[in-house]
Amino acid sequence: MFTELNSILNTNPDSITPGEFILISDRQSDASFLIHHFLSFYLKARCKVCFLGLVQSFNHYHAVSQRLGVSLLQAKEKGQLVFLEGLSESLSVLIPQEDNAGSQAMDFLRDPAAGLKSLYEFVRSSLNSPDGAEDWGPPVLLVDDLSVLLSLGVSVGAVLDFSHYCRATVCSQLKGSMVMLTRCEGEEEEDEGDDEGSERLLKGLTHQCSLTLHVQGLPTGYCREIHGQVEVCWRRRPVAGQYTPKKLFQYKVHDKGASFFAPGTSSAVL
Amino acid sequence: MAASKSGVSKPAVTSFQKKTRSKLISISGTRPSVQNGQLLVSTGVTSLDYLLGGGLAVGTVLLIEEDRYDSYSRTILKYFLAEGVVCRHELFVASAQDNPDDILQELPSPILDDVAIHKPAEQPRLPSDPPDSLDAMKIAWRYQNLPKVQTALASSSRFGHYYDVSKTMEPEIRQAAKCHRFYLPEHPTQSSPTHSTMLKSYSALLKSLQEVINREGFDLTTPMSNSRNILRVGLHSLGSALWGDDLCCRDNPRNGHALATFLYGLRALLRSSLSVAVVTVPSHLIQDRALMGSITRLCDNAIALESFKGSERETNPLYKDYHGLLHVRQIPQLNCLASKLPDHKDLAFKLKRKQFTIERLHLPPDLSETVSRVSRGELAGAPTAASACGTGTSGNKHLDF
């Protein structure tokens, strides 16, 4: 959890806004540090979290979260966290065995044209389940990342359907929140008419979400001291009376956190 | 310390004990990363290890985007396999084009007494060698004792071995290593109902790799035995037409997701086992940049080689010291938040007489009489321009202050 980002977004783990859909996107940069932020943020806020980790192993998320002061293993044991490890689940589908006892959540790998219904069912059942053992806060769904689904052959429409269903269930029905990461490739302006998959996905998701965090590399090129810039853009919600839809920050990722600063005010420059 | 050593005769019990983590497994040819404790293996190219943050982390994939003639990418692949032979790791070589045995026969010969390699006198001198002429140059005495600027990337501690690419490895050393081969034309393609997005060739390869991992005990879930070893996986030219893939042949490939799905499965396999993979892909044949981007994302490390062979840069005097450019596409974040980005992004490689090195790209010193720097574009037609500028000073060659 990065406290600087909390103050930028005007949130803290004690008072979270229900019904938020936060979209994290990146282009020529890596926004996965924000996923780790939101994972530790919602776990500290005592929310019931469902995490779809499609690109990395559980050990990776666990190791990073430990640096941020949260233990995923403990959260999993307590029932606060439901973790879908896409990599290990996928193996039983990709290499068919005799005793096929994998979970149904990764069924889209078998036939990508069928859509993500099974994955949605997994999300719904894991967030809906009345465990009753302990009373957790509002449910939260985190996805890392959606664009890998496109690489695996799922169509853009199916991914957008999935996010829409999740939003209806998690944000509206259960009064929870959602954080999704999607990654784009290449320049923004190139291939104007070409409706490339990840671009269309980004547009569709931007339309659905309530807050976007768009991470980019520096327009002036690679720099060691500044890793990139984040564009924070609120939709629908005017902040504290005045209408400030967009903010731009530069960031640097450290070992145990990240610092955000106004453009041009890096400690390396001043 | 000396006093206590002489006085005490019983087995030394000191409070200073080497702190060892029992969690880390000690396997030959590996070392833990300074940054995040990952187990690293060497790629065989010392400067590449440095670039990747000390080495390749076990459980990850290194993607090499091939140069146009696949000569340098193949060299790196051979280095990677040769390092495995020397460290007594097991190998898994898969190819659709050349027989894996042929690749293994071309492995470079290791230089096992590595002290000799540092002696500059060992290398035969060329009369046209530019550093030699630089050495002879008289410079002010106060600069003479300054250390030479090191352009080749290297870390302070040594890891991995040096190889002589001009010789091939002796068969005795090579045959000592246990090697699993996957040669697509000889591999029986099963007609089992696999799912639609992955090609038969890829799923056969994935299945064969999983069998090796399970049979030879590289799986991390199996109970810990005493002798653990690393499996080095080398996959040559994935995505080429010989694998039955049409990524390279068409603008809108029918099975565009096949390679990405395979790499996803490969990542899943490697993350749960003690193995590490190097994959080469002929990316210059793939038209769709977005597709290549998603392939890169599904690998961990990604570098691209761009050789000067056959391009106009080959004859450009700016690049005369190098054989090509090396682009770092991606450095992974493993078990940590921040990835270790390289200090420098302008990198070039060269294949010296015996060794493949990666260096920081820098312009050669301008030793012409006109000191004004000529831009790259003008270089081709430079003689006329230079002489025009130099007319003023052509009378006296030596500068006088």
Side-chain angles (χ1 to χ4, degrees):
Chain A
M1 192 174 69
F2 317 143
T3 41
E4 280 179 53
L5 188 61
N6 282 345
S7 61
I8 289 170
L9 300 179
N10 204 10
T11 52
N12 65 64
D14 300 327
S15 66
I16 49 171
T17 340
E20 274 216 284
F21 176 12
I22 302 171
L23 173 70
I24 306 170
S25 58
D26 68 8
R27 189 188 300 281
Q28 293 177 322
S29 192
D30 196 345
S32 52
F33 68 101
L34 290 174
I35 275 287
H36 295 294
H37 159 78
F38 283 108
L39 179 58
S40 59
F41 175 85
Y42 284 116
L43 284 178
K44 275 186 184 162
R46 298 184 53 80
C47 293
K48 167 103 184 171
V49 178
C50 172
F51 192 96
L52 307 183
L54 302 176
V55 289
Q56 292 286 358
S57 60
F58 176 76
N59 288 335
H60 168 79
Y61 295 109
H62 179 64
V64 179
S65 298
Q66 267 191 326
R67 287 178 185 229
L68 297 177
V70 176
S71 169
L72 294 192
L73 271 181
Q74 278 179 13
K76 224 167 134 180
E77 277 166 16
K78 284 190 289 185
Q80 188 189 2
L81 173 71
V82 181
F83 193 98
L84 176 75
E85 193 178 355
L87 284 176
S88 60
E89 299 286 337
S90 71
L91 266 187
S92 62
V93 183
L94 291 176
I95 309 171
Q97 307 283 350
E98 280 73 39
D99 48 338
N100 211 336
S103 83
Q104 304 295 305
M106 298 295 278
D107 260 356
F108 63 88
L109 280 171
R110 216 164 273 141
D111 181 19
L116 297 167
K117 199 173 169 200
S118 50
L119 194 61
Y120 166 71
E121 286 299 330
F122 173 82
V123 170
R124 203 177 55 118
S125 62
S126 55
L127 286 180
N128 249 341
S129 59
D131 272 331
E134 239 179 296
D135 205 16
W136 301 109
V140 175
L141 168 69
L142 293 118
V143 185
D144 181 25
D145 71 63
L146 279 179
S147 50
V148 80
L149 295 174
L150 297 184
S151 308
L152 295 176
V154 183
S155 68
V156 178
V159 179
L160 286 175
D161 283 349
F162 169 72
S163 77
H164 182 77
Y165 269 83
C166 288
R167 182 167 147 239
T169 310
V170 178
C171 296
S172 305
Q173 204 180 324
L174 299 171
K175 301 278 176 274
S177 306
M178 237 166 53
V179 181
M180 289 187 175
L181 170 67
T182 179
R183 314 191 62 181
C184 294
E185 188 54 39
E187 305 291 325
E188 197 159 7
E189 308 306 333
E190 76 180 32
D191 327 306
E192 279 284 322
D194 223 359
D195 46 351
E196 202 183 280
S198 55
E199 297 294 327
R200 263 173 62 210
L201 179 65
L202 178 61
K203 280 180 194 157
L205 288 172
T206 312
H207 179 72
Q208 293 180 0
C209 71
S210 61
L211 165 68
T212 62
L213 298 165
H214 186 60
V215 177
Q216 279 175 305
L218 283 183
T220 47
Y222 168 75
C223 173
R224 235 179 109 194
E225 291 300 318
I226 306 163
H227 290 158
Q229 58 187 29
V230 192
E231 196 178 278
V232 185
C233 181
W234 282 273
R235 291 163 53 86
R236 297 179 195 133
R237 184 165 62 98
V239 180
Q242 83 247 27
Y243 189 64
T244 51
K246 260 188 193 178
K247 280 185 187 173
L248 189 70
F249 296 94
Q250 292 180 336
Y251 72 90
K252 183 181 182 194
V253 184
H254 305 294
D255 224 17
K256 292 188 173 177
S259 56
F260 296 83
F261 38 85
T265 60
S266 156
S267 55
V269 179
L270 295 181
Chain B
M1 268 318 269
S4 70
K5 210 203 280 180
S6 59
V8 180
S9 60
K10 61 183 177 182
V13 183
T14 62
S15 58
F16 296 101
Q17 280 182 339
K18 197 179 170 193
K19 193 182 169 191
T20 48
R21 275 195 224 168
S22 54
K23 231 170 77 180
L24 287 176
I25 328 152
S26 72
I27 306 168
S28 74
T30 65
R31 70 169 180 195
S33 157
V34 190
Q35 198 194 7
N36 48 21
Q38 285 276 330
L39 202 63
L40 298 179
V41 296
S42 169
T43 55
V45 184
T46 318
S47 40
L48 184 60
D49 284 343
Y50 175 79
L51 203 65
L52 301 175
L56 272 181
V58 171
T60 61
V61 185
L62 167 65
L63 172 76
I64 301 173
E65 295 185 21
E66 290 174 10
D67 53 303
R68 200 167 301 166
Y69 299 104
D70 185 29
S71 49
Y72 298 106
S73 48
R74 204 183 159 99
T75 308
I76 298 185
L77 182 66
K78 284 188 282 192
Y79 263 113
F80 171 75
L81 295 173
E83 179 69 24
V85 173
V86 173
C87 295
R88 304 191 175 278
H89 296 160
E90 286 190 30
L91 306 182
F92 181 96
V93 187
S95 170
Q97 187 183 349
D98 307 299
N99 199 318
D101 286 322
D102 294 344
I103 297 180
L104 287 168
Q105 270 167 16
E106 295 168 4
L107 294 187
S109 153
I111 301 169
L112 290 172
D113 47 4
D114 41 86
V115 193
I117 195 82
H118 291 301
K119 285 185 194 160
E122 192 208 48
Q123 291 178 351
R125 298 197 166 210
L126 285 174
S128 63
D129 216 6
D132 285 353
S133 56
L134 273 179
D135 282 342
M137 197 171 66
K138 272 255 184 269
I139 52 171
W141 59 271
R142 63 166 66 195
Y143 299 120
Q144 264 172 358
N145 292 329
L146 285 181
K148 269 183 126 181
V149 178
Q150 196 188 11
T151 51
L153 305 171
S155 60
S156 49
S157 62
R158 241 191 91 247
F159 184 48
H161 299 82
Y162 289 100
Y163 297 90
D164 185 349
V165 280
S166 60
K167 288 186 225 149
T168 52
M169 192 180 273
E170 285 101 48
E172 300 90 67
I173 307 178
R174 201 178 66 226
Q175 276 148 17
K178 198 168 177 186
C179 182
H180 309 274
R181 295 164 184 83
F182 182 94
Y183 185 40
L184 186 66
E186 287 173 3
H187 199 85
T189 45
Q190 346 106 306
S191 52
S192 67
T194 53
H195 71 98
S196 58
T197 49
M198 204 150 62
L199 290 170
K200 278 208 179 90
S201 54
Y202 289 149
S203 53
L205 175 58
L206 205 60
K207 195 166 170 93
S208 147
L209 184 58
Q210 194 199 31
E211 276 169 13
V212 169
I213 285 175
N214 286 343
R215 195 178 57 222
E216 307 289 332
F218 295 108
D219 207 335
L220 279 176
T221 51
T222 54
M224 181 94 88
S225 63
N226 291 332
S227 58
R228 298 226 91 162
N229 206 348
I230 303 282
L231 179 71
R232 286 185 182 237
V233 183
L235 309 178
H236 181 248
S237 230
L238 281 187
S240 77
L242 290 171
W243 284 98
D245 207 336
D246 59 354
L247 272 183
C248 305
C249 327
R250 289 171 210 221
D251 280 348
N252 291 315
R254 248 181 316 120
N255 29 31
H257 304 295
L259 185 55
T261 313
F262 168 75
L263 289 172
Y264 193 75
L266 181 66
R267 175 183 271 191
L269 262 183
L270 294 187
R271 288 290 150 90
S272 59
S273 61
L274 278 174
S275 44
V276 56
V278 167
V279 174
T280 71
V281 170
S283 67
H284 55 277
L285 297 176
I286 299 175
Q287 300 298 318
D288 195 348
R289 286 288 99 192
L291 199 61
M292 199 53 221
S294 68
I295 288 172
T296 307
R297 293 264 167 79
L298 286 169
C299 296
D300 299 292
N301 301 283
I303 59 170
L305 300 177
E306 183 188 347
S307 89
F308 296 150
K309 239 189 237 172
S311 78
E312 59 178 8
R313 285 178 176 169
E314 194 177 15
T315 49
N316 193 324
L318 278 186
Y319 296 120
K320 67 177 162 89
D321 291 341
Y322 307 108
H323 287 119
L325 298 179
L326 185 135
H327 307 282
V328 178
R329 296 267 194 255
Q330 186 171 284
I331 298 279
Q333 300 150 324
L334 293 164
N335 295 351
C336 64
L337 211 52
S339 67
K340 193 193 165 294
L341 293 160
D343 306 342
H344 230 263
K345 281 231 159 164
D346 300 316
L347 298 162
F349 66 83
K350 64 175 156 189
L351 189 61
K352 287 197 261 187
R353 187 169 304 238
K354 294 186 170 177
Q355 202 187 354
F356 181 91
T357 54
I358 299 164
E359 298 184 355
R360 296 189 189 97
L361 177 69
H362 62 85
L363 300 179
D366 194 349
L367 299 172
S368 66
E369 289 156 23
T370 57
V371 192
S372 65
R373 178 72 69 192
V374 188
S375 72
R376 198 188 123 203
E378 290 170 36
L379 263 171
T384 53
S387 64
C389 297
T391 46
T393 55
S394 61
N396 45 351
K397 277 192 174 182
H398 305 286
L399 293 174
D400 45 3
F401 296 99

